[in-house]
Amino acid sequence: MILIAERINGMFKDVKQAIQEKDRKVIQDLAKKQTDAGASYLDVNVGTAAADQEGTMQWLVETIQRGCSTPLCLDSQKPNVIAAGLKVINAENGVLLNSTPLNKKTDEEVLDKYIEMANQAGPKAGIIALAMDKNGVPQDTDTRVAIAADIVTKAQDVGFEAQRLFIDPIVLPVKVPNAQVQPGNILSAMDQIRFLSDPPPHITVGLSNISQGATERSLINRLFLAMAMSHGLDSAIADVLDEDLMNVVATSDMLMNKQIYSDSFLKVYKTMNK
Amino acid sequence: MPLPEVADSFTGQVNRITLGAAKAEGGSRTKTVTVGGAKNVVYGGSFDDAGEKPVIAMDVLDSKPQDWPDALAEQYKNVFDSPGDWAKKCVQEFGADLICIKFDGIHPDRQNKDAAHAVKVTEQVLAAVGVPLILWGCGNDEKDNAVMPKVSGAAKGEKCLLGTIKQDNYKSLTAIALADRHLLIAEAPLDINIAKQINILASDMGFPLERIVMFQATGALGYGVEYAYSIQERQRLAALTGDKMMAMPVICDVGYESWRAKEAKLADAPGWGPAENRGPMWEAATAICLLQAGADIIRMRHPKAVETVRMFISGIWSQAPNSESGVDN
């Protein structure tokens, strides 16, 4: 399971404050804690913490990489912010660009731009592509799959390997009115996305979205994670500091025969995932 | 019609381990041996992925064996009472890459010899040959815990392969191997889950995973080789897909297991062909089978079998770019 740790995000109060006060230690502690917890990547999102998003992204990247070699996942809807992060990053161990839709009303070529940026960042750089297009977030299974297929085809056309492509079928908060059909739709979409190419693209989700505004958030997150893993999910942007969640990841991997069972399977998972 | 490309590629790799310490590293070995490093299954992928050539460790017993069949005993009868000469013969005449001292004689149900005896044997063999050593206890936990730490101390700093640790008896040998700078053999009884657990237990004691070799137990041809094969295959695939707790090189005990088979040891069986050929064939067939599952170190006994297996190894690994680096002179 490729876990992208979500905590370095300017939407969180402590991170926002650290950005505003230029307090590197808070960021570096989060980087270390999430790495120790088993993160494969650290998501880096400026959020609403500063007006200068490009400069803040660079400050975050430099701050994290001073004491930590875990690959980063640069998270912004603005290509220029990601590009700014890429200017100062050490992408030797890989980097993910998070994220691009298939296309936008304002930018038909946005996916190509992300692929181009990833190619420039090096052979281990990947992108997260959202199963949405200029018409917005699809509500049904078929449209999700059709958009994902277009993304995969486009990547293939330009020689971008499927292993570097992460498709996000877009998880919506279950509490939103009429959204309760969406978890089922997403699982059906995953069933098809994993057969779009051989080898298949990775499938990832912004997991915590599903429980946005709900009670029992951790329970909802981890149960949906287990369900999604059995439908081909092999990556998630998630709270790796949630130990119950990590135990679910370890157990699901073991039950699906992706990790050989040992009596210490929970304990070793974190080391294994690094 | 062109052949379809079916080779898989993997992200993981078997650990590369060097046995034996030369003078510069605080030991006295004139040769070191490096094993592991495979990035694919045997025959899979390109030659760049093949890793180091597998190596042959020949058994030297600490005491004269009491139950070896004639076809085997004949080869060593002049050196049974001198482990140093025995080891020298294996290296000089039969080209052993490693010597495995098997301390059968200390077993309480056999000759029940003491630590002083075991230490003396270790010193003799260390003095007699320059290849790295494997120091393998008798299998009785209590006796091994009493004797093997002394054996370890006698070879301190030589980077020997010391064994075996098991799920319910690993602490004292792990501690002493750490202190004396040896490598460890982690043993599991044909059980992949225990095999993984024992690595975790040793690692929890601070023993580096990169210094462990796995012994999954071995079955000879006709006596469970298929179990050993499938477990090794599964372990290798886990290693190649990034399971760090399973990324160790593997050792097999082919000599002992093959010569337990009645087809190998029975002298009086005219319908089966001459006994002097049958045993070596049984041993070689078992070894070659396990090499294809990815075994890195093969413990063997009969020189004819050793010769056959060496030919196989050099045939299969001859095109690998590092085919000469398995054994450093």
Side-chain angles (χ1 to χ4, degrees):
Chain A
M1 192 69 180
I2 302 167
L3 290 165
I4 304 162
E6 69 180 14
R7 271 296 267 110
I8 303 179
N9 185 323
M11 303 296 277
F12 288 101
K13 264 189 202 160
D14 55 346
V15 176
K16 186 172 187 171
Q17 195 179 346
I19 291 172
Q20 286 163 350
E21 293 170 5
K22 296 272 184 254
D23 183 349
R24 291 191 195 270
K25 192 169 179 308
V26 171
I27 306 297
Q28 285 163 344
D29 283 353
L30 272 173
K32 183 175 186 315
K33 262 165 70 181
Q34 294 187 111
T35 298
D36 291 346
S40 319
Y41 288 86
L42 303 174
D43 195 70
V44 187
N45 188 321
V46 175
T48 54
D52 176 12
Q53 296 215 335
E54 294 182 17
T56 306
M57 178 60 92
Q58 293 187 333
W59 180 80
L60 281 171
V61 168
E62 284 169 341
T63 300
I64 296 166
Q65 292 204 322
R66 275 188 191 182
C68 175
S69 58
T70 310
L72 304 183
C73 173
L74 305 183
D75 184 355
S76 172
Q77 298 310 308
K78 297 177 182 162
N80 59 307
V81 177
I82 290 186
L86 288 175
K87 273 187 200 154
V88 294
I89 204 170
N90 175 0
E92 203 173 282
N93 297 327
V95 58
L96 285 180
L97 314 188
N98 180 18
S99 58
T100 171
L102 172 64
N103 51 42
K104 284 182 185 174
K105 277 184 183 147
T106 53
D107 190 353
E108 279 284 342
E109 309 297 322
V110 62
L111 176 60
D112 300 87
K113 284 179 189 161
Y114 273 74
I115 290 177
E116 181 53 33
M117 280 197 289
N119 280 334
Q120 281 177 7
K124 287 188 180 171
I127 63 168
I128 297 179
L130 305 172
M132 65 181 280
D133 61 8
K134 53 188 167 190
N135 300 317
V137 177
Q139 299 297 310
D140 64 327
T141 303
D142 290 348
T143 315
R144 278 192 171 89
V145 176
I147 295 173
D150 284 347
I151 293 169
V152 169
T153 308
K154 199 154 194 180
Q156 276 173 345
D157 285 350
V158 295
F160 193 75
E161 299 95 336
Q163 295 98 311
R164 297 165 66 191
L165 182 61
F166 290 65
I167 303 274
D168 180 347
I170 307 185
V171 165
L172 300 166
V174 74
K175 198 189 172 184
V176 168
N178 301 323
Q180 256 178 280
V181 295
Q182 294 304 337
N185 287 350
I186 290 161
L187 297 179
S188 310
M190 287 179 183
D191 285 337
Q192 297 178 57
I193 292 170
R194 60 178 158 160
F195 293 111
L196 286 176
S197 64
D198 182 21
H202 297 287
I203 305 177
T204 195
V205 290
L207 183 67
S208 304
N209 248 354
I210 196 157
S211 63
Q212 199 70 251
T215 58
E216 302 294 352
R217 290 200 66 180
S218 168
L219 175 65
I220 294 172
N221 291 347
R222 64 181 184 266
L223 196 57
F224 183 68
L225 185 66
M227 293 163 71
M229 284 176 77
S230 74
H231 285 260
L233 185 83
D234 67 345
S235 167
I237 305 168
D239 181 9
V240 298
L241 302 179
D242 180 344
E243 205 170 324
D244 289 336
L245 183 82
M246 295 302 284
N247 287 345
V248 164
V249 175
T251 309
S252 298
D253 255 13
M254 185 273 291
L255 288 174
M256 291 192 298
N257 196 25
K258 288 184 177 169
Q259 304 288 347
I260 290 173
Y261 174 86
S262 68
D263 287 347
S264 301
F265 74 93
L266 281 185
K267 200 170 116 192
V268 295
Y269 187 79
K270 293 172 188 173
T271 15
M272 310 269 305
N273 208 39
K274 279 177 200 166
Chain B
M1 197 182 109
L3 282 173
E5 174 61 48
V6 292
D8 273 324
S9 64
F10 297 94
T11 51
Q13 181 174 10
V14 176
N15 297 338
R16 207 177 227 107
I17 297 187
T18 298
L19 284 71
K23 214 169 194 178
E25 293 175 287
S28 66
R29 302 300 81 200
T30 55
K31 273 183 178 181
T32 62
V33 171
T34 302
V35 294
K39 294 178 185 166
N40 211 314
V41 294
V42 179
Y43 297 129
S46 72
F47 286 114
D48 295 332
D49 295 343
E52 304 289 346
K53 256 195 321 191
V55 296
I56 297 170
M58 290 187 75
D59 283 1
V60 167
L61 272 52
D62 66 302
S63 308
K64 184 178 176 178
Q66 296 167 323
D67 51 3
W68 280 20
D70 289 347
L72 181 58
E74 187 66 26
Q75 304 296 324
Y76 303 103
K77 62 182 179 192
N78 301 329
V79 290
F80 273 153
D81 294 319
S82 168
D85 291 333
W86 187 346
K88 208 179 265 179
K89 188 180 176 83
C90 289
V91 173
Q92 291 177 354
E93 288 182 34
F94 309 138
D97 301 313
L98 304 165
I99 290 296
C100 175
I101 312 181
K102 180 69 171 71
F103 291 95
D104 277 355
I106 65 173
H107 197 290
D109 298 340
R110 290 180 183 240
Q111 284 137 295
N112 201 20
K113 292 188 176 174
D114 61 9
H117 154 82
V119 164
K120 201 172 131 202
V121 169
T122 307
E123 288 168 350
Q124 281 173 354
V125 175
L126 274 171
V129 295
V131 300
L133 301 190
I134 302 173
L135 307 169
W136 198 302
C138 68
N140 176 292
D141 290 347
E142 204 178 318
K143 194 64 189 277
D144 281 347
N145 288 344
V147 173
M148 293 311 285
K150 306 263 171 49
V151 169
S152 167
K156 187 169 184 165
E158 297 284 2
K159 268 182 97 177
C160 299
L161 194 49
L162 186 70
T164 60
I165 58 164
K166 304 171 196 161
Q167 188 178 18
D168 47 7
N169 185 54
Y170 64 93
K171 288 184 179 162
S172 51
L173 270 197
T174 302
I176 200 75
L178 203 54
D180 291 342
R181 301 191 299 281
H182 294 308
L183 315 168
L184 272 179
I185 306 166
E187 174 175 359
L190 285 173
D191 183 318
I192 191 118
N193 307 121
I194 293 176
K196 184 167 179 173
Q197 184 68 11
I198 177 72
N199 293 335
I200 296 167
L201 293 172
S203 166
D204 281 351
M205 281 183 69
F207 199 83
L209 293 169
E210 300 74 25
R211 278 166 55 188
I212 296 176
V213 169
M214 291 173 84
F215 175 55
Q216 319 252 24
T218 303
L221 179 63
Y223 297 83
V225 72
E226 59 274 38
Y227 292 103
Y229 185 100
S230 65
I231 281 187
Q232 270 179 43
E233 188 180 44
R234 188 155 172 232
Q235 181 245 326
R236 175 57 50 99
L237 289 173
L240 296 175
T241 48
D243 189 337
K244 289 174 191 165
M245 292 297 168
M246 298 299 267
M248 296 76 190
V250 165
I251 186 168
C252 292
D253 184 5
V254 167
Y256 167 73
E257 292 293 342
S258 302
W259 287 94
R260 285 169 77 194
K262 71 171 182 294
E263 291 85 348
K265 69 183 175 191
L266 209 60
D268 186 22
W272 291 354
E276 65 266 27
N277 292 339
R278 233 188 297 125
M281 276 166 59
W282 215 262
E283 192 179 354
T286 302
I288 287 170
C289 173
L290 293 169
L291 281 169
Q292 292 173 67
D296 300 276
I297 306 171
I298 302 270
R299 270 180 62 193
M300 300 191 68
R301 288 189 170 170
H302 198 289
K304 263 204 234 171
V306 167
E307 197 185 334
T308 307
V309 171
R310 176 169 299 107
M311 273 171 56
F312 173 81
I313 291 173
S314 50
I316 293 294
W317 274 265
S318 61
Q319 293 182 65
N322 49 4
S323 66
E324 294 309 313
S325 68
V327 179
D328 309 324
N329 288 300

